[in-house]
Amino acid sequence: EYGFRDSFNAFLSSLGDNAPLASLADVVSFNNEDLVNRAPYGQQFVEGSVNTTITVKEYTALKESHREESAAALRDFFEEHEVDLIVCRACTQAYAPAGFPALTIPDGFDKNGVPISLIFVGDYLSEAQLLAVAYAYEQATDSRVEPDLALRKEQISTVIGGE
């Protein structure tokens, strides 16, 4: 949460006068004006990022600890179970700080119409294998649903008030 907030706020600052908003807190406020249309699946992570109380020192220590622990845990898992890839619908993002490649692909919708996906996680330097397996899965299941781009364009236009 700290890293997201810090990076996002730095990005907005880098835009200078061209920034549409000044901070992540402003994004939360903006979204709250029309939450149904601006953040239809919620913004819990964004709100948590705005409200985090972690300091720079704590964040730096946590980041290094997570990187080491995540890499060790994933390596142990791959070796212990003799697998090349992990496929999950909802899993931790331990692969990110560990530097392991991952690929998320759309996999239809849940019973409430919310998009769902699968996450393929590979060992270090397994990007080619991840792409091949994920592509084969997509082709075999045909679970990807084309978005209604005309509807999305209309919804975006309604939210931003443009054409």
Side-chain angles (χ1 to χ4, degrees):
E1 292 175 335
Y2 174 89
F4 179 71
R5 181 188 68 197
D6 186 54
S7 297
F8 192 85
N9 287 343
F11 167 73
L12 288 176
S13 280
S14 75
L15 296 177
D17 292 339
N18 294 322
L21 299 167
S23 69
L24 192 59
D26 291 346
V27 172
V28 169
S29 295
F30 177 80
N31 287 347
N32 281 334
E33 292 172 9
D34 188 9
L35 199 59
V36 171
N37 289 307
R38 294 180 182 162
Y41 305 115
Q43 61 177 0
Q44 295 83 0
F45 176 77
V46 178
E47 290 171 349
S49 296
V50 167
N51 298 319
T52 188
T53 59
I54 292 176
T55 66
V56 175
K57 186 176 180 179
E58 291 169 325
Y59 172 69
T60 302
L62 282 169
K63 191 166 98 170
E64 182 57 26
S65 172
H66 287 180
R67 187 191 65 72
E68 292 170 1
E69 291 171 12
S70 297
L74 283 169
R75 281 215 174 78
D76 289 348
F77 185 89
F78 284 121
E79 288 176 21
E80 180 181 338
H81 298 284
E82 298 179 3
V83 296
D84 296 322
L85 298 172
I86 300 168
V87 181
C88 50
R89 182 155 319 279
C91 59
T92 71
Q93 294 182 356
Y95 54 84
F100 284 60
L103 179 66
T104 303
I105 63 169
D107 197 35
F109 298 89
D110 70 11
K111 64 182 179 187
N112 297 315
V114 175
I116 56 175
S117 58
L118 283 179
I119 303 168
F120 294 78
V121 180
D123 203 348
Y124 184 67
L125 296 177
S126 66
E127 288 87 344
Q129 185 181 25
L130 277 176
L131 288 168
V133 171
Y135 179 77
Y137 177 85
E138 253 187 335
Q139 298 304 302
T141 61
D142 198 31
S143 60
R144 183 175 186 278
V145 177
E146 288 290 327
D148 183 341
L149 296 179
L151 174 62
R152 297 298 171 248
K153 183 178 177 186
E154 182 181 315
Q155 289 172 330
I156 291 168
S157 183
T158 301
V159 169
I160 63 172
E163 299 214 10

